[in-house]
Amino acid sequence: MTQTDEVFKALADPSRRLLLDSLNSRNGQSLRDLCAELSMARQSVSKHLAVLEAANLITTVWRGREKLHYLNAEPINAIADRWINQYDRARVQTLADLKIALESEPMSNSPAFVYTTYIRTTPERLWQAITDPAFSNRYMGHALVSDFKKGSSYVWSDCTGLEIEDSEQVILESEPYRRLAFTFHTFVPELTALGLAEDVVKKAASERRSKVSFDIEPADDGQVKLTVIHDDFPPESTVRELISGGWPWKLANLKSELELA
């Protein structure tokens, strides 16, 4: 069964759609939270979550002893990109609405952004694409320039030549081919040249610095599982709103470029 088959199978069940609706209303819930909100038996919820996770419609993150569940829009993006322009829009309106719902999470609590994708590549090539500026600028439109040692700083640059250097831009963890974590880049006035409004840049710059992690895991069929977590946002975060649109585009392009290479 292909991943697309898994997605349609998962979405066919109304109980699983209720779980997705619940996570869309409040992302990052535990199994206990979901059971309480939907008045469903723990065993039933566990089985439905397993199907949703197998379809990559949700992804999970451990916080201490608690396993939290997050919506993952990547499979819906892939289906929409493949078919949305090939059929009459009315026939796929439900799919389009779900895609929008998954990408438009409520911002009141500024939850963590969690995105999982499967890429037909190797951990070594994926690591290179993330850490080698020659590749990451081409694949994601930006690069981190660093020696990628824990505690080192990095320079953020993009394909237009803009460079952002700040001693608080730090590599937090670095395990080649497995995990990279770092503090997010500083928001500087020059970012308005990339299309960001001046007031948006000022709001983003006033927030505490958020954090990003890339987790790389070998998967079946010659694929690699990449999970990106961007978190530590303040309530009503402007940065959270900005990155929720940026990361899906960057990661979809990364996947496409690596699989075409």
Side-chain angles (χ1 to χ4, degrees), residues 130 133 136-137 140-146 148 152-171 182-196 209 212 214 230 243 246-247 249-250:
I130 294 169
S136 53
N137 250 327
M140 294 191 289
H142 77 270
L144 307 184
V145 182
S146 175
F148 292 102
S152 293
S153 61
Y154 71 85
V155 176
W156 185 93
S157 67
D158 81 338
C159 53
T160 69
L162 174 63
E163 293 188 348
I164 301 175
E165 188 169 359
D166 191 314
S167 61
E168 293 187 15
Q169 295 175 177
V170 177
I171 304 298
F182 52 93
T183 57
F184 200 45
H185 69 75
T186 302
F187 280 80
V188 296
E190 289 79 5
L191 285 168
T192 56
L194 303 183
L196 293 180
R209 194 175 298 272
V212 182
F214 286 71
H230 194 151
I243 63 93
W247 277 125
W249 176 85
K250 288 175 179 288

Side-chain angles (χ1 to χ4, degrees), residues 62-67:
W62 285 94
R63 289 284 186 260
R65 295 184 176 182
E66 197 168 43
K67 186 179 183 182

Side-chain angles (χ1 to χ4, degrees), residues 5-259:
D5 294 332
E6 296 276 5
V7 172
F8 282 115
K9 174 186 173 183
L11 294 175
D13 187 281
S15 294
R16 290 195 281 272
R17 294 197 297 271
L18 281 175
L19 286 169
L20 292 176
D21 287 339
S22 178
L23 289 173
N24 186 54
S25 297
R26 184 164 63 91
N27 217 355
Q29 294 187 60
S30 66
L31 175 60
R32 180 176 56 186
D33 294 334
L34 290 166
C35 291
E37 182 169 337
L38 299 177
S39 299
M40 293 171 62
R42 185 183 183 91
Q43 186 176 12
S44 296
V45 173
S46 294
K47 288 181 178 180
H48 287 311
L49 289 173
V51 174
L52 291 170
E53 189 168 9
N56 201 25
L57 284 164
I58 65 170
T59 192
T60 56
V61 176
W62 285 94
R63 289 284 186 260
R65 295 184 176 182
E66 197 168 43
K67 186 179 183 182
L68 303 181
H69 302 80
Y70 291 86
L71 282 173
N72 185 41
E74 193 271 341
I76 300 299
N77 288 337
I79 290 172
D81 290 343
R82 179 175 177 181
W83 283 306
I84 199 76
N85 294 320
Q86 296 186 32
Y87 298 108
D88 184 88
R89 181 168 293 272
R91 297 180 184 177
V92 292
Q93 191 60 54
T94 300
L95 182 63
D97 289 345
L98 179 58
K99 177 178 184 287
I100 292 169
L102 287 174
E103 293 181 330
S104 304
E105 300 169 13
M107 301 307 298
S108 58
N109 295 319
S110 297
F113 172 88
V114 182
Y115 193 97
T116 298
T117 186
Y118 288 81
I119 305 174
R120 195 168 299 280
T121 187
T122 64
E124 292 78 12
R125 288 188 64 225
L126 179 53
W127 180 265
Q128 182 183 37
I130 294 169
T131 60
D132 187 329
F135 287 91
S136 53
N137 250 327
R138 171 186 165 192
Y139 293 169
M140 294 191 289
H142 77 270
L144 307 184
V145 182
S146 175
D147 61 11
F148 292 102
K149 295 179 180 178
K150 183 177 179 180
S152 293
S153 61
Y154 71 85
V155 176
W156 185 93
S157 67
D158 81 338
C159 53
T160 69
L162 174 63
E163 293 188 348
I164 301 175
E165 188 169 359
D166 191 314
S167 61
E168 293 187 15
Q169 295 175 177
V170 177
I171 304 298
L172 301 173
E173 298 178 57
S174 183
E175 298 179 53
Y177 322 129
R178 293 184 58 191
R179 178 173 171 82
L180 178 68
F182 52 93
T183 57
F184 200 45
H185 69 75
T186 302
F187 280 80
V188 296
E190 289 79 5
L191 285 168
T192 56
L194 303 183
L196 293 180
E198 184 177 352
D199 62 325
V200 171
V201 173
K202 287 182 178 179
K203 287 180 181 178
S206 69
E207 294 183 9
R208 68 170 179 258
R209 194 175 298 272
S210 54
K211 300 173 184 176
V212 182
S213 65
F214 286 71
D215 284 292
I216 300 170
E217 302 173 53
D220 296 332
D221 300 324
Q223 297 187 99
V224 174
K225 179 183 179 182
L226 172 64
T227 300
V228 176
I229 301 175
H230 194 151
D231 60 3
D232 202 17
F233 301 104
E236 307 292 342
S237 171
T238 295
V239 175
R240 173 63 172 79
E241 188 171 359
L242 289 172
I243 63 93
S244 65
W247 277 125
W249 176 85
K250 288 175 179 288
L251 296 171
N253 200 55
L254 173 67
K255 173 182 170 71
S256 297
E257 291 288 345
L258 278 171
E259 292 185 341

